[in-house]
Amino acid sequence: MTKQAEAAKGDSIHRGNPVTVDRYTAAARLNHWITAISLVLLALSGLALFHPSLYFLTGLFGGGALTRMIHPFIGVVLLLSFIGLFLRFWKLNLWERTDSVWLGRLRDVLTKNDEKLPEVGKYNAGQKLVFWSMSLLIVLLVASGVVIWQQFFSEYFKVEQQRVAVLIHSILAIVMICVWIVHVYAAIWVRGTIGAMTRGRVTGGWAWRHHRRWLRELVSGKSKVGPKEVTPAE
Ligand code: HEM
């Protein structure tokens, strides 16, 4: 298997104190936050329809009828937006042999024993698992969602099929919310990560500690897709 490139378009290093490394372009960040906002709105509107005790959440969307109408359309926004993220990041999330080694040393990951772990490219095994889980879950949520989108598709599916789809859709949604919590928790737990998605850059120290193979590739300029220049920080 050929070694995958570790850097994406726009990744580059800036000299300075501290050294900073560009990790996400403005377009990638915008794409990410549209996806994130859509998922939060979907979770809130979905929970509002899920159980009577959560019905009060419909107040956020202008009442029960509007919530029911808006929810699937936000799902379409999420799907389109996630396709953008998928196309940007799927190659960097391909599984490698070292990912299995990293995962096998989960104890060292959790105790932040970074020096005992294999060097990581742009994404570690945990991030890759979250990425592929999100990809699969979104496809399945959209597919089951279409079956129960009565406004447009009720005539294409039997009531029995719709009942099964509601159950599947609800279970998948709960799994998706759990994956989302893991994603956000990890982003907060690994200090310095949130800045990657807000400002687009991380410190050289963060990259050295958590994604050393990615940093090495940027320094050596061997990345097939990333620019090779090292520019002074503003
Ligand atoms: C709303 C709360 C969210 C926060 C605070 C958040 C935060 C972050 C941060 C900090 C990163 C950069 C991680 C890194 O570069 O090491 C990231 C990456 C990413 N996020 Fe989120 N995120 C959120 C929601 C979402 C949602 C809802 C999705 C998709 C449904 C998503 C999909 C992704 C993807 C695909 C990446 C690129 C990492 C990869 O490809 O493995 N995020 N997020």
Side-chain angles (χ1 to χ4, degrees), residues 80-109:
L80 297 177
S81 180
F82 191 81
I83 289 173
L85 284 186
F86 186 87
L87 294 176
R88 283 173 202 281
F89 300 135
W90 73 270
K91 266 195 190 143
L92 294 164
N93 281 287
L94 290 176
W95 198 259
E96 295 173 289
R97 210 169 41 84
T98 50
D99 290 321
S100 307
V101 178
W102 188 95
L103 212 55
R105 302 204 185 136
L106 210 55
R107 182 190 285 264
D108 291 320
V109 175

Side-chain angles (χ1 to χ4, degrees), residues 23-24 32-33 35-36 39-40 78 82 85 89 93 122-123 127-128 131 134 138 176 180 183-184 187 193-194 196-197 206 211:
R23 194 160 162 86
Y24 293 107
H32 174 266
W33 290 119
T35 312
L39 191 99
V40 171
L78 176 86
F82 191 81
L85 284 186
F89 300 135
N93 281 287
K122 182 147 182 179
Y123 297 118
Q127 289 173 299
K128 290 180 181 182
F131 177 84
M134 282 173 169
I138 288 175
M176 184 69 186
W180 174 73
H183 177 65
V184 176
T193 306
I194 294 285
M197 258 317 162
W206 181 94
H211 299 275

Side-chain angles (χ1 to χ4, degrees), residues 135-147:
S135 307
L136 183 67
L137 284 165
I138 288 175
V139 169
L140 297 176
L141 275 163
V142 170
S144 52
V146 165
V147 178

Side-chain angles (χ1 to χ4, degrees), residues 113 119 141-142 188 225:
N113 237 333
E119 291 192 1
L141 275 163
V142 170
I188 296 167
V225 280

Side-chain angles (χ1 to χ4, degrees), residues 20-42:
T20 54
V21 191
D22 287 344
R23 194 160 162 86
Y24 293 107
T25 59
R29 279 177 280 146
L30 183 67
N31 193 167
H32 174 266
W33 290 119
I34 291 173
T35 312
I37 291 167
S38 312
L39 191 99
V40 171
L41 293 177
L42 274 169

